[in-house]
Amino acid sequence: MSVDELGQAIGTRTGRRVSSRQAWIVVALLCGFLIVNYADKIVVGLAGADLMRDMDIDAQQFGIIQSSFFWCFAAGSILGSFLIGRVKAKYLLAGTAVLWVLSLLPMVWSESYEVLIASRMMLGFAEGPATAMAVAVAHTWFSADRRTIPTSVIVAGAGLGPVIAAPVLTMVIVNQSWHAAFAVLVVAGLVWVPLWLQFGREGGVLDARTVDEAVGEARMSWSSILRNRTVLGVAVLMFATYCSSAIKISWLPLYLHNGLGYDKETAGTLVALPYAATAILVVAAGVASRMMTKRGVANRMSRGVLPSLMLASAGVSTVGFALLDRGLLNLVFIIFGASLAGAAAGITLTAVSDVVAARQRGAVLGFIVAVYSSAGVISPLVLGSIVTSAATPAAGYRDGFLILGGVMVVGAIISILLINPDRDSATNSR
């Protein structure tokens, strides 16, 4: 009996029959989970100019605020990933979202620099495991050969969140205040939680304990996992993509406003474009990867080479917009530089399922999140320091984005050499 047939048998035997409708309702809710997640992430960037004015802080201090989101991100990711499979997904994800709400709440009234840092640290801790949780739950609803598209749809939530939130929150900030923007996000979290409690749960296609017992040879020691080149390649690729994502979350609105001279409302609208492109490209790339797999193309190509080439293209685009002045071509490169990197992340995460046993998958995804979250700590601080020390903000942004483009290209080269799920599968590693 294959793993997929065994998973279907598990679903029937445990009374957890898997229907396509149920599976896609859960996928939609998990996509919503990441939509709220990324809306929470970008609010400080959107309110950056007003925050810097009201709190009387400079670009370097603003970089510290944005970096602080990631200070506890890895710890939250590791803890949350440890709890995957040990706590029911219904309660684990709902509790996580409640923590988001509690972390945002003080900023509805506070104007303290220290309170904002504490708020971002708590939010980062609570949001650290979000992607790993969502992907791990989704994988319990789909067999291994069908996971690429639902994974891409869920990751697309990372793009849809800012697409929806950026213009809405910018309008709220301009017409009301940045405090009101935080209040909107508190309400959004409170709306999602009861929906998840009503409809969300694990699926029955892959029951980690039963599958691992029946397919014992698929399990690996942690020393083997940490030497697995595909796991390391995915971690490198995700680190490079998250350097781009963290800077996009932290600095893109200010770059458009202070670096390129767009007014706040225009910058708030334009900042949604890279996220919209990300949402589209994540799904399109997932479909392309799935089609490659169905046609017998090796997983190394569909889940290693393809995302690595997308990341390299994103790096080249980032260098391109850094060297261009404000204009249409500059904006096109900004969109492709950000969106291609995000889409690459959506595909390559699926490679973890190819090389790691089901019971260990959540922990390994947590390890990968912990690795790439360090990019979130480093990159906003580095860019803030460069902008502060440069002769002009525009010159600082140019130099910072040139460095970012180089990091992305180097990351792509390393990952294309490492990721090979067919070579590094758990079965073959013994």
Side-chain angles (χ1 to χ4, degrees):
M1 181 181 288
S2 70
V3 171
D4 295 340
E5 290 169 338
L6 178 61
Q8 293 289 357
I10 293 165
T12 301
R13 186 166 60 249
T14 59
R16 294 166 64 186
R17 296 180 60 192
V18 175
S19 74
S20 177
R21 180 174 177 274
Q22 285 177 311
W24 285 103
I25 287 174
V26 170
V27 167
L29 285 169
L30 292 171
C31 180
F33 186 64
L34 288 191
I35 286 174
V36 176
N37 179 291
Y38 269 77
D40 293 348
K41 282 182 172 72
I42 68 164
V43 64
V44 171
L46 294 172
D50 291 345
L51 280 168
M52 292 172 72
R53 180 198 65 218
D54 292 348
M55 294 184 179
D56 191 25
I57 57 177
D58 59 22
Q60 190 165 13
Q61 290 171 301
F62 184 77
I64 292 172
I65 291 172
Q66 294 290 49
S67 174
S68 68
F69 175 85
F70 299 97
W71 293 351
C72 298
F73 196 89
S77 175
I78 292 169
L79 176 60
S81 298
F82 173 79
L83 295 175
I84 295 172
R86 293 173 171 83
V87 178
K88 286 186 176 180
K90 174 178 288 192
Y91 305 116
L92 182 60
L93 271 69
T96 299
V98 168
L99 284 178
W100 302 353
V101 170
L102 293 175
S103 66
L104 293 166
L105 195 58
M107 300 317 301
V108 174
W109 61 82
S110 175
E111 292 189 0
S112 165
Y113 177 71
E114 292 77 16
V115 170
L116 179 54
I117 288 179
S119 169
R120 299 308 282 178
M121 288 175 63
M122 181 177 174
L123 182 65
F125 176 82
E127 292 194 345
T131 300
M133 286 178 177
V135 171
V137 173
H139 285 186
T140 69
W141 287 91
F142 296 90
S143 57
D145 62 327
R146 296 176 57 234
R147 289 184 186 135
T148 302
I149 293 176
T151 300
S152 296
V153 169
I154 290 168
V155 175
L160 290 173
V163 168
I164 298 167
V168 172
L169 294 179
T170 298
M171 182 177 64
V172 171
I173 290 166
V174 171
N175 295 314
Q176 299 294 324
S177 70
W178 56 267
H179 295 290
F182 279 91
V184 169
L185 294 174
V186 167
V187 172
L190 292 175
V191 168
W192 184 87
V193 170
L195 290 174
W196 177 254
L197 287 172
Q198 179 65 33
F199 301 106
R201 64 173 175 84
E202 299 95 336
V205 169
L206 279 179
D207 182 281
R209 180 177 291 104
T210 307
V211 170
D212 280 351
E213 287 173 356
V215 193
E217 71 274 13
R219 300 196 66 190
M220 298 160 53
S221 67
W222 268 101
S223 61
S224 296
I225 290 171
L226 296 177
R227 293 195 307 270
N228 188 293
R229 285 177 284 180
T230 292
V231 171
L232 296 177
V234 171
V236 169
L237 188 141
M238 292 297 295
F239 178 90
T241 62
Y242 218 72
C243 282
S244 172
S245 295
I247 287 180
K248 178 173 63 175
I249 291 166
S250 304
W251 286 101
L252 185 56
L254 280 176
Y255 167 63
L256 293 169
H257 179 54
N258 293 338
L260 297 180
Y262 292 102
D263 63 68
K264 285 190 287 189
E265 289 187 85
T266 302
T269 300
L270 293 178
V271 80
L273 296 179
Y275 291 102
T278 298
I280 294 169
L281 284 177
V282 162
V283 177
V287 171
S289 178
R290 165 70 173 150
M291 290 177 63
M292 291 171 71
T293 300
K294 288 182 68 175
R295 293 180 180 179
V297 176
N299 284 338
R300 178 176 184 269
M301 299 299 295
S302 61
R303 298 175 184 178
V305 173
L306 177 60
S308 297
L309 291 178
M310 293 171 69
L311 176 60
S313 300
V316 172
S317 296
T318 300
V319 171
F321 79 71
L323 295 174
L324 291 170
D325 293 327
R326 169 176 160 176
L328 179 59
L329 189 57
N330 166 267
L331 190 58
V332 169
F333 277 134
I334 289 173
I335 292 170
F336 279 104
S339 60
L340 284 169
I347 301 173
T348 199
L349 276 177
T350 310
V352 175
S353 299
D354 298 325
V355 300
V356 177
R359 183 182 245 180
Q360 298 170 291
R361 199 168 296 140
V364 173
L365 285 170
F367 161 74
I368 291 171
V369 173
V371 170
Y372 74 67
S373 68
S374 61
V377 176
I378 297 167
S379 53
L381 283 174
V382 171
L383 186 57
S385 178
I386 292 172
V387 171
T388 299
S389 60
T392 64
Y397 286 118
R398 180 199 63 214
D399 294 345
F401 284 120
L402 284 173
I403 293 171
L404 173 62
V407 168
M408 294 162 74
V409 171
V410 171
I413 293 170
I414 294 172
S415 61
I416 205 170
L417 296 173
L418 290 178
I419 299 174
N420 188 340
D422 302 307
R423 177 197 63 205
D424 297 331
S425 68
T427 302
N428 293 335
S429 65
R430 290 181 65 87

